[in-house]
Amino acid sequence: MSNVKTLPSWRALTQHGVMAQANHDEVARLNVLTHLNLHLSSRVIPGLRQVYEKHVHPAFVKDHGREPETRHEVRKVMMEDGYCQLWSALRRNTMEMRHQTGRAMVLRQAGVLSNKVEQLNKGCDTLQLDPKIEVPANINQVDIHCQPGCYYQEYFDQDVTVAASYDVGLFVTTAGLLGALSDGGGQAIANWLKTEHPNFKPKRILDLGCTVGHNAVPLAQAFPDAEVIAIDVATPCLRYAHARAKSLGVDNIRFVQANAESLPQYADESFDLITSAMFWHEASHQMLPKALKTVQRLLKPEGLTIHLEQPQYHGKSVFEQFMRDWDTYYNNEPYWGPMHDLDLAEQLDKAGFDGSAMFEIGVVAKVDEKIFGKSAAGDSGEDYGRAPVWNAFGIWKNKQ
Ligand SMILES: C[S@@+](CC[C@H](N)C(=O)[O-])C[C@H]1O[C@@H](n2cnc3c(N)ncnc32)[C@H](O)[C@@H]1O
């Protein structure tokens, strides 16, 4: 990595009021994993295409007398290749080690974190927990992306460890591209709205599956006069998210425990803007249509719903689909592939929108100088430290 200017360091993350504290060895571990992920994505992944084009694809065509037709056929032959196995095992291991490091780090300060969270949340009516909300089937089958305890497990009263561990470890997987507050996606949506739709000033915003509020907070900051309602089913995440937002001085978010499938507590046409970030790939085929119908019901006429999500597979080569589908098989993301196979316009149609009006865009977040240094912003020489573009789909409701 001769011309690397700044490798991202976990130390550059903003230490908000409920962030777990890392000691020297923990930072070193998180950084090694982050840099290994960078190495895999920038140096090892290009080799996979070569392996496919030079060896695996020709062998498949020779054996079958035809091109591979699906990503599943590509997966079966690629996963027999040693280079591919090595990449896959390393990728899986960085994920498992991210969680192990994060868990160990937050467990040794679990009590301190719970106390900080409780202090910040004390007496606030902007945290609305509801013990009657059950963990839905779409996330109670496996620990999603190998995260022990998934999003919702509580090991003791007032536990926030799964949320704190998620906050600490996301940097490893995204290699700093989400910025010092892991909020690059929400920032990118806010930037896009301000640039492309400067007259759109939502008064009421709903964020679905907010987790620890990474992407609800920048929207609340971009629209300080708006009331933001951020919902999730996971108690520890909501507790932590509320305290985190408070510690960042953000007061216009109400964190509510609710299932996105129905949300009966909210009136029809009561939100101007409904968002989500990386939510739909965790939705099952049963849950997704119900939640989209709810979005349609809750959105005001001329309101906007927009969602950050990995791009759909449709139109991509079977090799690219195979690469994108890795999470379905090796990262405990059972709905990832099935969701990315859907025709979203058709789903929106079924939910009561005019699906033909759906748009897909790339929204851009700034390179965070806190992480990549000043020189990175205009640097085109490396695969990272460049302005990340996040895929999003959306639709305006009944807009002429
Ligand atoms: C990948 S995370 C989303 C990340 C988050 N939006 C952010 O900005 O960082 C998915 C979240 O959706 C939540 N979730 C899953 N199914 C849900 C449902 N049916 N209703 C509400 N929240 C749900 C999970 O608890 C989890 O916190």
Side-chain angles (χ1 to χ4, degrees):
M1 293 196 184
S2 55
N3 55 351
V4 169
K5 297 208 173 82
T6 311
L7 275 172
S9 171
W10 188 91
R11 279 256 183 258
L13 287 185
T14 301
Q15 300 295 299
H16 57 70
V18 289
M19 188 83 164
Q21 298 302 296
N23 61 32
H24 168 276
D25 288 5
E26 287 158 349
V27 173
R29 253 175 243 137
L30 290 162
N31 282 344
V32 164
L33 294 171
T34 304
H35 302 162
L36 179 55
N37 264 335
L38 270 175
H39 182 71
L40 292 178
S41 58
S42 62
R43 306 295 154 112
V44 177
I45 281 189
L48 282 170
R49 186 174 281 283
Q50 283 182 28
V51 163
Y52 180 65
E53 287 174 356
K54 290 202 173 133
H55 306 291
V56 175
H57 175 259
F60 184 97
V61 173
K62 191 166 168 232
D63 289 351
H64 295 79
R66 62 169 175 83
E67 293 289 320
E69 283 161 11
T70 65
R71 64 176 186 271
H72 306 293
E73 285 188 339
V74 175
R75 186 181 68 255
K76 281 180 191 135
V77 283
M78 280 298 279
M79 292 310 291
E80 283 169 12
D81 176 84
Y83 183 90
C84 188
Q85 289 170 354
L86 183 69
W87 161 73
S88 180
L90 285 169
R91 190 168 169 193
R92 166 75 183 215
N93 270 276
T94 56
M95 187 52 109
E96 290 190 11
M97 286 192 283
R98 155 192 158 179
H99 291 307
Q100 281 172 25
T101 306
R103 284 300 287 161
M105 188 171 147
V106 302
L107 283 173
R108 70 169 171 77
Q109 51 196 305
V112 175
L113 288 172
S114 291
N115 285 340
K116 282 187 184 170
V117 166
E118 256 191 296
Q119 286 310 311
L120 282 155
N121 291 346
K122 213 180 201 162
C124 295
D125 67 357
T126 41
L127 175 62
Q128 284 176 222
L129 297 178
D130 181 354
K132 291 192 295 305
I133 297 293
E134 287 174 13
V135 176
N138 59 298
I139 54 167
N140 75 5
Q141 310 291 314
V142 291
D143 281 345
I144 299 278
H145 48 62
C146 306
Q147 178 163 299
C150 201
Y151 297 104
Y152 54 84
Q153 198 67 55
E154 291 171 274
Y155 299 95
F156 56 90
D157 187 36
Q158 302 301 321
D159 184 10
V160 291
T161 49
V162 287
S165 174
Y166 175 86
D167 197 12
V168 162
L170 190 59
F171 178 86
V172 170
T173 305
T174 59
L177 285 176
L178 287 175
L181 278 166
S182 300
D183 65 351
Q187 275 192 37
I189 292 285
N191 292 343
W192 178 80
L193 283 171
K194 297 248 157 164
T195 318
E196 300 296 323
H197 300 281
N199 297 327
F200 181 62
K201 302 221 174 348
K203 294 251 168 340
R204 212 151 176 255
I205 301 173
L206 175 65
D207 186 53
L208 304 173
C210 63
T211 316
V212 301
H214 283 149
N215 296 299
V217 165
L219 282 167
Q221 287 169 322
F223 299 103
D225 299 331
E227 181 195 23
V228 180
I229 298 192
I231 67 134
D232 205 291
V233 283
T235 318
C237 287
L238 289 162
R239 276 192 205 113
Y240 182 90
H242 185 270
R244 177 182 176 276
K246 283 256 149 208
S247 83
L248 291 167
V250 174
D251 291 317
N252 57 330
I253 310 182
R254 181 176 290 276
F255 287 93
V256 179
Q257 188 159 24
N259 188 328
E261 276 188 20
S262 62
L263 301 174
Q265 63 271 56
Y266 300 116
D268 294 0
E269 303 187 344
S270 54
F271 290 92
D272 306 284
L273 174 63
I274 302 183
T275 59
S276 75
M278 302 303 156
F279 172 68
W280 295 109
H281 67 245
E282 291 180 11
S284 64
H285 276 6
Q286 287 74 39
M287 179 270 203
L288 183 140
K290 290 185 194 159
L292 275 185
K293 266 196 184 131
T294 299
V295 170
Q296 202 279 342
R297 177 180 73 76
L298 295 179
L299 200 58
K300 284 186 193 167
E302 310 228 330
L304 170 69
T305 185
I306 185 160
H307 307 272
L308 288 160
E309 186 51 81
Q310 297 286 328
Q312 297 304 96
Y313 292 159
H314 178 73
K316 307 227 177 293
S317 72
V318 283
F319 175 74
E320 188 174 345
Q321 288 186 34
F322 150 70
M323 290 297 294
R324 291 186 170 277
D325 208 35
W326 180 86
D327 295 80
T328 314
Y329 291 88
Y330 306 106
N331 195 26
N332 274 13
E333 293 275 13
Y335 305 112
W336 183 285
M339 184 267 154
H340 287 299
D341 268 339
L342 292 175
D343 177 341
L344 289 177
E346 189 183 303
Q347 295 297 318
L348 286 166
D349 239 13
K350 285 187 183 155
F353 288 100
D354 169 9
S356 67
M358 185 188 108
F359 60 86
E360 280 176 282
I361 46 168
V363 290
V364 185
K366 276 199 303 194
V367 175
D368 197 327
E369 287 180 5
K370 257 186 97 183
I371 295 181
F372 292 101
K374 276 206 183 330
S375 58
D379 187 359
S380 58
E382 280 297 332
D383 292 336
Y384 53 90
R386 286 201 227 150
V389 180
W390 306 108
N391 183 74
F393 70 93
I395 192 163
W396 295 90
K397 186 174 177 183
N398 305 334
K399 199 166 179 175
Q400 297 308 312

